[in-house]
Amino acid sequence: MDKPEHGTNRNPAVDDWFQSYANPQRDLVANVREFILAIDPAVTEAIKWQAPTFMYKGNIASFFPKSKKNVTLMFHTGASLPDELGLLEGDGEVSRVARFLDAADFDAKKPALEAVIRRWIRDRG
């Protein structure tokens, strides 16, 4: 597994993945990626399960790359994450998803996404 570049939490393997990612939601996926990586430099990324995955002392979330109607980000243990702003959807025992329909929807949900990521980091700090 490639390590992130020195001085950044961007992983060249994820950059490479984006080069061949042909999806109508590509730009929005890239924007979500940049936003998450900017939340905290301790959040890293890698390609796992054939998709970009965000990590901090464990797997936080992975994109569902086949989704074409929206951007879907699966939080691996989302059921156990406090989500006061109501970002996460689903009723499974373990995982939850965040969906972003378009740029405006993503902009509206940024505070909730940041809160979930920061809570993950704080709980594992």
Side-chain angles (χ1 to χ4, degrees):
M1 179 184 326
D2 292 342
K3 299 238 182 223
E5 296 172 358
H6 180 71
T8 179
N9 54 351
R10 289 177 61 105
N11 187 323
V14 178
D15 291 333
D16 291 346
W17 181 89
F18 267 99
Q19 293 299 316
S20 62
Y21 184 49
N23 184 301
Q25 297 294 336
R26 182 184 189 280
D27 290 343
L28 187 54
V29 170
N31 290 340
V32 173
R33 173 196 184 202
E34 294 302 325
F35 180 78
I36 291 173
L37 291 176
I39 291 171
D40 191 299
V43 174
T44 60
E45 63 179 356
I47 299 297
K48 294 184 175 186
W49 307 284
Q50 300 176 354
T53 299
F54 301 98
M55 300 162 300
Y56 175 81
K57 297 184 180 179
N59 297 315
I60 303 171
S62 298
F63 284 111
F64 182 68
K66 294 182 181 183
S67 180
K68 294 186 178 181
K69 294 187 187 231
N70 58 60
V71 171
T72 303
L73 189 61
M74 184 193 59
F75 286 78
H76 299 276
T77 58
S80 65
L81 284 172
D83 178 26
E84 291 84 7
L85 299 177
L87 173 71
L88 303 177
E89 304 172 20
D91 57 9
E93 289 184 31
V94 180
S95 67
R96 293 284 186 274
V97 298
R99 287 188 177 87
F100 308 103
L101 305 176
D102 54 29
D105 186 51
F106 175 51
D107 284 343
K109 292 177 178 175
K110 281 179 178 178
L113 177 58
E114 182 172 355
V116 169
I117 299 290
R118 288 197 183 282
R119 183 61 184 256
W120 174 281
I121 293 166
R122 186 173 65 236
D123 288 353
R124 283 152 185 81

